[in-house]
Amino acid sequence: AQTVTQSQPEMSVQEAETVTLSCTYDTSENNYYLFWYKQPPSRQMILVIRQEAYKQQNATENRFSVNFQKAAKSFSLKISDSQLGDTAMYFCAFMKQNRDDKIIFGKGTRLHILP
Amino acid sequence: DAMVIQNPRYQVTQFGKPVTLSCSQTLNHNVMYWYQQKSSQAPKLLFHYYDKDFNNEADTPDNFQSRRPNTSFCFLDIRSPGLGDAAMYLCATSREGGRGNTEAFFGQGTRLTVV
């Protein structure tokens, strides 16, 4: 069975700083997807960034980037130039590249951006 | 425009009184998921559908049932809600599960209170 581990329950950083959220996972699969989802206090879950395991290049989306280390099964999220609106719960998630498979979430990291 | 719509946003039900939560989608996605999320915890998958194929998680209580009458709609039925079932219930959809450029789209959730 696949597991996703986020070892940082809560973090705080000053606005405009860079912050890195950690995630490790365990799987015997070779093909899969990894995601970072953001859940602001309003509670709607939205996708931040996605990584396909077969791609060696790390995904980037504006101020968000990942450090994907497949051999180490590590998938960290870096937020550059953090903004107050980045305050949210961040969930790391895993999905096998398989018909109709499910998304498995880590326990989340609560991120506070301080003014 | 909302793509995954959950109704109602807030639901109060009496202990033991059956309740139904609904989810609709305009994305024409094959896969629909129901997650239970308790405060400050990760979403926990209850079950998911690939088209009409139903996949129940092994640890989902029998008290929870689901129906998917067509591609657009999916319902979560709680037959006899207990106090422990108070939570946010999240509906999500994805296209072709783990194939292609996939991600899950979430609704805003239904917050269930049991009194």
Side-chain angles (χ1 to χ4, degrees):
Chain A
Q2 287 74 34
T3 58
V4 178
T5 302
Q6 294 179 249
S7 59
Q8 303 151 313
E10 196 158 0
M11 298 181 72
S12 296
V13 295
Q14 294 294 134
E15 191 176 8
E17 288 185 349
T18 294
V19 60
T20 299
L21 281 59
S22 301
C23 174
T24 59
Y25 58 95
D26 188 27
T27 184
S28 58
E29 300 290 325
N30 191 47
N31 297 315
Y32 49 87
Y33 293 92
L34 294 165
F35 308 92
W36 279 98
Y37 278 90
K38 171 184 178 181
Q39 191 176 40
S42 65
R43 305 297 294 261
Q44 185 161 19
M45 194 89 74
I46 56 175
L47 180 70
V48 175
I49 199 163
R50 170 183 50 231
Q51 176 81 41
E52 288 93 337
Y54 70 89
K55 290 186 177 178
Q56 292 184 337
Q57 187 172 6
N58 289 323
T60 62
E61 287 287 342
N62 300 314
R63 297 183 294 109
F64 300 88
S65 62
V66 298
N67 183 2
F68 173 49
Q69 302 289 327
K70 191 173 183 179
K73 296 179 182 173
S74 170
F75 182 61
S76 61
L77 174 70
K78 186 171 82 171
I79 306 173
S80 303
D81 186 26
S82 57
Q83 301 175 359
L84 296 178
D86 296 333
T87 293
M89 278 289 279
Y90 286 81
F91 292 99
C92 180
F94 171 97
M95 177 193 267
K96 287 193 290 187
Q97 191 174 356
N98 191 7
R99 181 185 183 276
D100 85 337
D101 208 4
K102 55 198 177 187
I103 298 172
I104 299 167
F105 288 89
K107 290 187 176 182
T109 295
R110 186 175 298 280
L111 178 64
H112 301 276
I113 307 299
L114 307 173
Chain B
D1 290 339
M3 295 178 288
V4 182
I5 303 163
Q6 292 188 243
N7 283 304
R9 291 287 309 279
Y10 302 92
Q11 176 73 57
V12 180
T13 191
Q14 290 181 331
F15 183 94
K17 184 175 181 180
V19 65
T20 295
L21 310 182
S22 72
C23 177
S24 63
Q25 55 136 335
T26 60
L27 297 163
N28 202 34
H29 282 171
N30 305 76
V31 190
M32 293 187 78
Y33 309 84
W34 278 106
Y35 287 88
Q36 179 193 64
Q37 187 179 28
K38 296 190 176 180
S39 182
S40 300
Q41 295 184 22
K44 177 183 180 299
L45 183 65
L46 296 173
F47 22 60
H48 71 287
Y49 281 91
Y50 184 97
D51 293 331
K52 284 193 173 293
D53 293 337
F54 178 68
N55 299 273
N56 196 33
E57 291 300 296
D59 57 355
T60 297
D62 292 340
N63 197 27
F64 291 85
Q65 305 285 317
S66 185
R67 295 170 283 136
R68 189 179 185 185
N70 53 52
T71 299
S72 300
F73 286 87
C74 196
F75 300 96
L76 170 62
D77 301 309
I78 308 176
R79 294 194 295 187
S80 181
L83 297 179
D85 297 327
M88 179 72 85
Y89 290 87
L90 301 174
C91 175
T93 73
S94 70
R95 186 188 71 236
E96 292 288 338
R99 291 170 57 190
N101 201 22
T102 196
E103 66 178 270
F105 291 83
F106 284 82
Q108 288 190 293
T110 294
R111 181 176 295 282
L112 178 69
T113 301
V114 182
V115 299

